[in-house]
């Protein structure tokens, strides 16, 4: 959920000044299509991992903003160069720099995770890698203006409970990959979407939310599915042949969430449904004015599709999973997109389940077709895994072949020990 841009794989191309006024939706579309994807060779990888923060002595208590910022301030320099940010509900995110190759990105993130875990443990806090908070009710602790305004917007749009859970009770592993050579954009973005259901089923790790089993392997994905599809749904158009134009149409149809009356003033949430295109075309004036390029850039940060073009591809559909699992998960996804032969295997394997988003989130690998696709995908990745990842990859392959995902392991722990005890065990580092 953070708006800090730290994993950009390419620099922002030159363009109009931020205060340039947009005079039509066509102007806005041209701006979006010109900057949303960058022609570049594949290979660089950026990772972002979110973890829920728990008090290991009182797991039902949500640490305060002051506590969290004090711990973050005392974290020593991270060897992998990640940036630490705090999510609306107090989850802690590490955002790594883009590196040449998936293995260096994994190793750097693992090193930074170790330093971060130790710093929080010294303060009596544990970082729990789950897709959704299994114990505590949704609550915002981050006092930032952006998140307050988002909260007000979602409340006015009748999606308050789901939005509150999304903002304060979910966590993910995010994989950022180059868009690739322009001739391959369509294929890569289609495959990134087609892989979504299969990867969700493999990574599902949020069987509980707010103290209850939800009946979904990925409650995180269930929460996101309840939000407005114009802001959070997939971006592919009917043909998928021009992903940059698809993204422009998506962005212009999406309603404006927040407006800054002036660049210096706090964001104001919108109570009416106003597509950005209507604002740009002058049908409706928000703040008694037309939008600027800065307004459009900000609008794009309030859109949360499962695959978001930000010059690179920001893949957002994976639950946060334990340290024993995320290296293999990240390697699998990057390999299936960046290795041409593995990509062909993945495209064929996932075709029958390419749109099964809800089925993947609810029953995961319990679905026969998803399980078959998952086995082929992880085996294709495992064949290409370097020695450093063999243990993690073999663990993933075994789990998938057994039809199990991380949610099953956590559910078993909860059934044995109760929710609070299970959270405490994980927060204290018991895998």
């Amino acid at each position: 959920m953070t708006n800090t841009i730290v994993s950009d794989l390419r620099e922002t191309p030159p363009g109009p000044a931020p205060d340039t006024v947009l005079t039509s939706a066509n102007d806005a579309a041209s701006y979006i299509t010109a900057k949303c994807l960058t022609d570049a060779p594949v290979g660089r990888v950026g990772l972002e991992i979110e973890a829920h923060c728990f008090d290991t002595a009182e797991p039902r208590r949500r640490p305060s903003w002051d506590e969290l910022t004090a711990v973050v301030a005392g974290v020593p320099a991270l060897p992998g160069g990640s940036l630490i940010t705090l999510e609306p509900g107090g989850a802690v995110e590490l955002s790594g720099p883009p590196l040449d190759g998936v293995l260096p990105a994994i190793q750097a993130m693992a090193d930074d995770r170790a330093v971060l875990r130790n710093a929080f443990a010294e303060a009596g806090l544990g970082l729990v890698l789950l897709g959704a908070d299994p114990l505590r009710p949704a609550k915002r602790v981050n006092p930032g203006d952006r998140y307050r305004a988002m909260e007000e917007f979602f409340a006015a749009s009748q999606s308050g409970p789901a939005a509150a859970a999304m903002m304060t009770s979910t966590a993910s592993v995010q994989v950022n990959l180059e868009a690739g050579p322009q001739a391959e954009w369509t294929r890569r973005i289609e495959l990134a979407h087609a892989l979504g259901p299969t990867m969700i089923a493999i990574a599902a790790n949020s069987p509980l939310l707010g103290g209850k089993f939800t009946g979904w392997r990925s409650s995180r994905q269930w929460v996101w599915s309840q939000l407005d599809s114009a802001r959070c749904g997939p971006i592919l158009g009917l043909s998928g042949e021009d992903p940059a134009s698809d993204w422009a149409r998506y962005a212009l149809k999406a309603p404006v969430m927040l407006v800054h009356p002036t660049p210096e003033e706090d964001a104001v949430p919108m109570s009416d449904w106003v597509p950005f295109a209507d604002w740009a075309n002058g049908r409706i004036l928000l703040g008694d004015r037309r939008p600027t390029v800065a307004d459009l850039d900000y609008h794009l940060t309030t859109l949360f599709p499962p695959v978001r073009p930000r010059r690179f591809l920001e893949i957002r559909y994976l639950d946060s999973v334990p340290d024993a699992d995320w290296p293999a998960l990240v390697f699998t996804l990057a390999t299936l997109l960046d290795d041409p032969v593995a990509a062909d295997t993945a495209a064929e394997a996932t075709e029958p389940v390419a749109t099964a988003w809800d089925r993947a989130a609810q029953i995961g690998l319990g679905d026969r077709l998803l399980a078959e696709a998952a086995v082929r995908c992880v085996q294709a990745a495992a064949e290409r895994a370097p020695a450093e990842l063999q243990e993690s990859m073999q663990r993933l392959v075994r789990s998938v072949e057994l039809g199990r995902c991380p949610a099953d392991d956590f559910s078993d722990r909860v059934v044995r020990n109760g929710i609070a005890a299970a959270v405490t065990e994980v927060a204290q580092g018991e895998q």
Side-chain angles (χ1 to χ4, degrees):
M1 277 293 301
T2 41
N3 188 37
T4 306
I5 300 174
V6 296
S7 295
D8 285 5
L9 300 185
R10 294 290 165 186
E11 295 298 322
T12 304
D19 60 355
T20 301
V21 175
L22 298 168
T23 59
S24 70
N26 286 338
D27 284 350
S30 296
Y31 176 79
I32 294 170
T33 56
K35 68 171 289 186
C36 69
L37 296 169
T38 298
D39 187 337
V42 302
R44 292 215 292 171
V45 179
L47 301 179
E48 303 181 29
I49 296 183
E50 297 171 332
H52 303 284
C53 185
F54 285 88
D55 183 332
T56 54
E58 298 181 59
R60 296 181 187 277
R61 184 184 76 86
R62 191 178 292 269
S64 70
W65 181 249
D66 288 344
E67 287 178 85
L68 293 168
T69 53
V71 176
V72 169
V75 175
L78 298 180
S82 294
L83 180 68
I84 306 170
T85 50
L86 296 173
E87 297 296 299
V92 183
E93 180 180 67
L94 278 182
S95 301
L99 297 174
D100 290 328
V102 63
L103 183 59
I106 289 170
Q107 292 174 328
M109 179 58 69
D111 291 343
D112 289 352
R113 283 268 312 144
V115 173
L116 189 73
R117 273 198 318 271
N118 290 338
F120 273 77
E122 290 175 2
L125 302 174
L127 299 178
V128 174
L129 295 170
L130 282 166
D133 188 328
L135 185 60
R136 302 170 300 194
K139 181 182 178 181
R140 178 172 62 89
V141 298
N142 187 323
D145 162 63
R146 173 181 168 90
Y147 298 126
R148 175 196 55 74
M150 287 178 67
E151 196 172 59
E152 293 178 17
F153 169 86
F154 282 123
S157 65
Q158 308 303 309
S159 57
M166 177 272 287
M167 291 175 63
T168 69
S169 300
T170 63
S172 70
V173 171
Q174 186 170 294
V175 181
N176 301 324
L177 303 175
E178 294 283 13
Q182 186 169 355
E184 298 180 14
W185 286 353
T186 297
R187 179 196 64 82
R188 279 176 65 76
I189 293 176
E190 284 181 346
L191 181 56
H193 283 82
L195 277 165
T198 298
M199 294 303 300
I200 286 169
I202 293 170
N205 190 35
S206 45
L208 296 96
L209 177 67
K212 297 179 181 178
F213 280 100
T214 64
W216 293 66
R217 293 291 204 285
S218 176
S219 300
R220 174 184 176 273
Q221 186 66 24
W222 170 61
V223 165
W224 280 92
S225 72
Q226 296 178 75
L227 299 175
D228 173 24
S229 62
R231 185 177 305 281
C232 302
I235 67 172
L236 286 181
L238 293 177
S239 69
E241 293 178 356
D242 184 357
S245 294
D246 284 343
W247 176 230
R249 282 192 291 270
Y250 181 105
L252 294 175
K253 288 181 179 179
V256 178
M257 175 186 281
L258 308 172
V259 173
H260 290 84
T262 68
E264 295 77 26
E265 293 183 83
D266 290 346
V268 176
M270 295 295 99
S271 57
D272 296 323
W273 182 285
V274 179
F276 194 94
D278 286 357
W279 189 15
N281 281 327
R283 293 193 182 98
I284 297 177
L285 299 182
L286 302 179
D288 295 323
R289 60 179 178 82
R290 284 181 183 261
T292 64
V293 165
D295 291 315
L296 179 53
D297 282 337
Y298 192 77
H299 173 66
L300 295 176
T301 72
T302 69
L303 308 180
F304 309 109
V307 180
R308 182 164 65 173
R310 288 177 58 185
R311 300 180 295 284
F312 56 95
L313 302 183
E314 185 183 77
I315 301 174
R316 305 168 50 84
Y317 46 60
L318 301 176
D319 276 11
S320 191
V321 297
D323 283 311
D325 298 321
W326 67 257
L329 188 68
V330 165
F331 180 81
T332 296
L333 182 56
T335 299
L336 295 177
L337 282 164
D338 284 357
D339 181 287
V341 177
D344 288 343
T345 298
E348 179 183 335
T350 58
E351 184 177 7
V353 291
T355 60
W357 297 88
D358 286 348
R359 195 159 81 246
Q362 186 166 24
I363 62 177
L365 298 177
D367 178 89
R368 178 181 62 83
L369 293 178
L370 282 164
E372 290 174 356
V375 168
R376 290 189 63 189
C377 286
V378 297
Q379 288 178 345
E383 292 170 0
R384 294 159 173 80
E388 296 91 335
L389 293 179
Q390 284 296 327
E391 182 177 350
S392 183
M393 280 303 308
Q394 289 307 312
R395 172 186 167 95
L396 179 63
V397 171
R398 286 193 301 270
S399 294
V400 170
E401 289 178 346
L402 291 171
R404 289 181 65 85
C405 60
D408 298 315
D409 296 334
F410 187 72
S411 295
D412 289 347
R413 191 189 291 260
V414 169
V415 170
R416 286 195 308 268
N417 304 323
I419 304 174
V423 168
T424 300
E425 288 174 359
V426 177
Q428 292 174 336
E430 297 181 31
Q431 298 296 325

